[in-house]
Amino acid sequence: MTKRKSSACEIAADVSNGRSSAVETAKAALARIEAAKALNAVVTTAPARTLADATAVDDRLRAGETMPLAGVPVIVKDNIWVGDWRVTQGSRLFAEFVAPRDAIAIERLRKAGAVVVGIGATSEFACKGVTTSPLYGPTRHPLDPTLTPGGSSGGPAAAVAAGLVPLAIGTDAGGSGRRPPAHVGVAGFKPSYGAIPYGPGFAEPFFGLSVIAPIATDIADIALAFEAMAGVDPRDPDPAGIAQGAKNIAGLRIAFSPRLGLDVAVDDVVANGLVLAIARLSAAGLSIAQRDPVWPAGATEEAIMPLQHTGLAALYRDAFREDPTVFDPDIARQIERGLSWSGADVAGAQLASAAIANAFAAFFTEVDLLLAPTVPCVAWPLTQLGPDMIGGRAASSRAHAALTPFVNHARLPAISIPCGTDRCGLPFGLQVIAARGQDRTLLEAAQEIEAMLRT
């Protein structure tokens, strides 16, 4: 396949300065997507609509308008509304759904000059750690088609990693915008909850956890997209204030936690790779102290999972009772489990979520940035929900996801940065986490860390 050669920043500069056009750029992206059909990263295209949007961007430029994302081709995950596009959540229940309007984030991207060139694959309702769905089947890893890119933002992440587009927009309710990027070797950013308005869109099973998550090869592209999408909107009931950036990473208090203070398994290749990455950052001048967050008793992913299961059950129980076979079998099991939880179970999960948020808030009164693994393992066969073993232990189906969900429950910003590979060339990532509202400081620090790790 023909890979893209320019970052989003470079494309926007070239289109804005007349060195290329939005139409030419969109045509090239559509050709790359067509050539990469076997990857199954992009599940819907609408070339006529895309080229009409690109033509409109070129017309706006000729009229003198300035657009920070002029002509940048973008893939949007299949659970985010893109007006007049088929958006399905990977579900047979929504197989023919056409979004009546843009989500606010997509509206803002288009205003900034971005051009939607396709819809990226997701697992059904974005509720699995691998990207496969009843409608579209499995998305494949760009480096090895027998492996999964993870999930649920596997389509957007794979599209960026394969060079189809420089920028994609995923979602992240428990790590979906960080883990797939880590597995395919690109960057993925989970903003603070409320930093980017989330709707309008589908009813969300994650109860105030899911965020819009930009994915790109370069963190400068993620920062550009974030600034285009972020900010208060009167249609958004949960806005978050975003502070200005710190500008000077050398003055930040930085901690490193090898397992995020959790009793979780991590493969040696990832653990050793993170130690090497921290050593490189220290050699480049950062002062990093090893320190773990301190979690309340009973703080585990299992303790908070009832929120996802009951959210799914609340939304889809009628359809499930009518015909459970319409769902992905793994999602059907989650709905069935959600129907079995009691009100006390759900309240207990909410209390655990609040306790995790309080623990993280206390930690970030004494630390500015926390470095940790994004994933405990590299990618695994796409026929499995997770690897059989991690760190020498038999792994549950969610063990690969253990290092990301607490960030969502604390509503913090976090980014995954590529930091190493195993001997087969399969990537893993460094997760950088900051206090809620410190998104710009995190992005500025991440750009410096990215440069240090690339040196």
Side-chain angles (χ1 to χ4, degrees), residues 177-211:
R178 287 163 285 156
R179 293 193 312 271
H183 285 308
V184 299
V186 297
F189 177 47
K190 177 220 168 299
S192 296
Y193 182 78
I196 298 173
Y198 194 76
F202 295 110
E204 176 58 60
F206 292 106
F207 296 127
L209 301 177
S210 194
V211 299

Side-chain angles (χ1 to χ4, degrees), residues 38-43 121-122 131-133 136-141 145 147-150 154-155 158 382:
L39 192 63
N40 201 29
V42 181
V43 294
T122 180
T131 300
T132 184
S133 74
Y136 302 114
T139 296
R140 299 178 183 275
H141 196 293
L147 304 180
T148 177
L382 81 166

Side-chain angles (χ1 to χ4, degrees), residues 99-273:
R101 62 185 67 86
D102 285 339
I104 295 166
I106 304 306
E107 175 185 292
R108 289 176 173 179
L109 282 178
R110 285 175 151 171
K111 184 177 180 181
V115 177
V116 177
V117 296
I119 303 298
T122 180
S123 55
E124 189 170 29
F125 308 128
C127 283
K128 280 175 69 171
V130 296
T131 300
T132 184
S133 74
L135 280 183
Y136 302 114
T139 296
R140 299 178 183 275
H141 196 293
L143 297 177
D144 184 338
T146 69
L147 304 180
T148 177
S152 62
S153 299
V160 171
L164 308 186
V165 290
L167 176 67
I169 307 301
T171 61
D172 189 321
S176 293
R178 287 163 285 156
R179 293 193 312 271
H183 285 308
V184 299
V186 297
F189 177 47
K190 177 220 168 299
S192 296
Y193 182 78
I196 298 173
Y198 194 76
F202 295 110
E204 176 58 60
F206 292 106
F207 296 127
L209 301 177
S210 194
V211 299
I212 300 292
I215 297 167
T217 301
D218 302 312
I219 294 171
D221 289 355
I222 287 177
L224 186 67
F226 174 75
E227 292 299 341
M229 294 186 289
V232 174
D233 187 284
R235 294 166 288 180
D236 177 27
D238 295 307
I242 306 300
Q244 292 302 310
K247 303 295 183 185
N248 182 13
I249 187 173
L252 298 180
R253 300 165 296 175
I254 305 174
F256 169 55
S257 178
R259 286 173 169 75
L260 207 58
L262 299 168
D263 180 21
V264 297
V266 176
D267 279 340
D268 286 346
V269 67
V270 175
N272 295 336

Side-chain angles (χ1 to χ4, degrees), residues 207 301-311 338 341 345-346 349:
F207 296 127
E301 192 187 16
E302 290 77 15
I304 53 182
M305 281 305 290
L307 298 179
Q308 175 174 317
H309 297 159
T310 55
W341 293 113
D345 293 327
V346 177

